[in-house]
Amino acid sequence: QLQASGGGLVQTGDSLRLSCAASSRSFSSLNMGWFRRAPGKDREFIAAISWTGGRANVADPAKGRFAISRDNSKNTIYLQMNSLQPEDTAVYYCVASASTGTLSTAQALAGKGYDIWGQGTLVTVSS
């Protein structure tokens, strides 16, 4: 239901834009976001955006370098990643919250309540 794309092998300092296409227009009414899992590490919240697109948050490891956005007319969210570093190497997962409307927007923007996961897309940053 969530199809992420745009990953690849890049060098330190490069940029990538990940996309996540949802299979249904119903996702346009859900808070959505991105998590990542680096090799040997737990999954990590990266960014979230409210269902309207009016509010967004990027977690500290990516703040100032990554930006999240969405286009509900295309049922798609994006993660623009700039100044990539080797520590950004991970599988990036697009997520959605079926709890939208139950949890507060603040909780959603903090990475809570994401229970719909897409397949990941691998980002590898070489030094």
Side-chain angles (χ1 to χ4, degrees), residues 77-101:
I77 70 167
Y78 305 95
L79 185 68
Q80 177 66 43
M81 305 187 296
N82 299 325
S83 300
L84 283 162
Q85 303 297 314
E87 53 266 34
D88 295 317
T89 294
V91 177
Y92 285 73
Y93 297 91
C94 172
V95 297
S97 174
S99 302
T100 299

Side-chain angles (χ1 to χ4, degrees), residues 59-127:
D60 285 344
K63 199 176 292 286
R65 300 186 298 124
F66 293 8
I68 186 171
S69 61
R70 69 190 296 163
D71 185 342
N72 283 344
S73 69
K74 297 180 179 179
N75 299 331
T76 301
I77 70 167
Y78 305 95
L79 185 68
Q80 177 66 43
M81 305 187 296
N82 299 325
S83 300
L84 283 162
Q85 303 297 314
E87 53 266 34
D88 295 317
T89 294
V91 177
Y92 285 73
Y93 297 91
C94 172
V95 297
S97 174
S99 302
T100 299
T102 300
L103 293 180
S104 70
T105 301
Q107 288 176 302
L109 294 181
K112 308 300 182 183
Y114 290 95
D115 46 9
I116 302 171
W117 288 65
Q119 100 295 347
T121 185
L122 176 63
V123 173
T124 303
V125 185
S126 65
S127 57

Side-chain angles (χ1 to χ4, degrees), residues 12-69:
T12 298
D14 285 350
S15 297
L16 275 178
R17 188 176 80 156
L18 305 183
S19 300
C20 174
S23 61
S24 166
R25 286 191 59 81
S26 64
F27 283 91
S28 65
S29 63
L30 301 184
N31 296 326
M32 298 184 69
W34 294 92
F35 281 72
R36 70 185 182 189
R37 186 188 295 271
K41 296 186 178 181
D42 292 334
R43 71 184 186 188
E44 178 180 39
F45 167 68
I46 291 301
I49 188 165
S50 65
W51 69 272
T52 64
R55 294 178 64 184
N57 179 48
V58 177
D60 285 344
K63 199 176 292 286
R65 300 186 298 124
F66 293 8
I68 186 171
S69 61

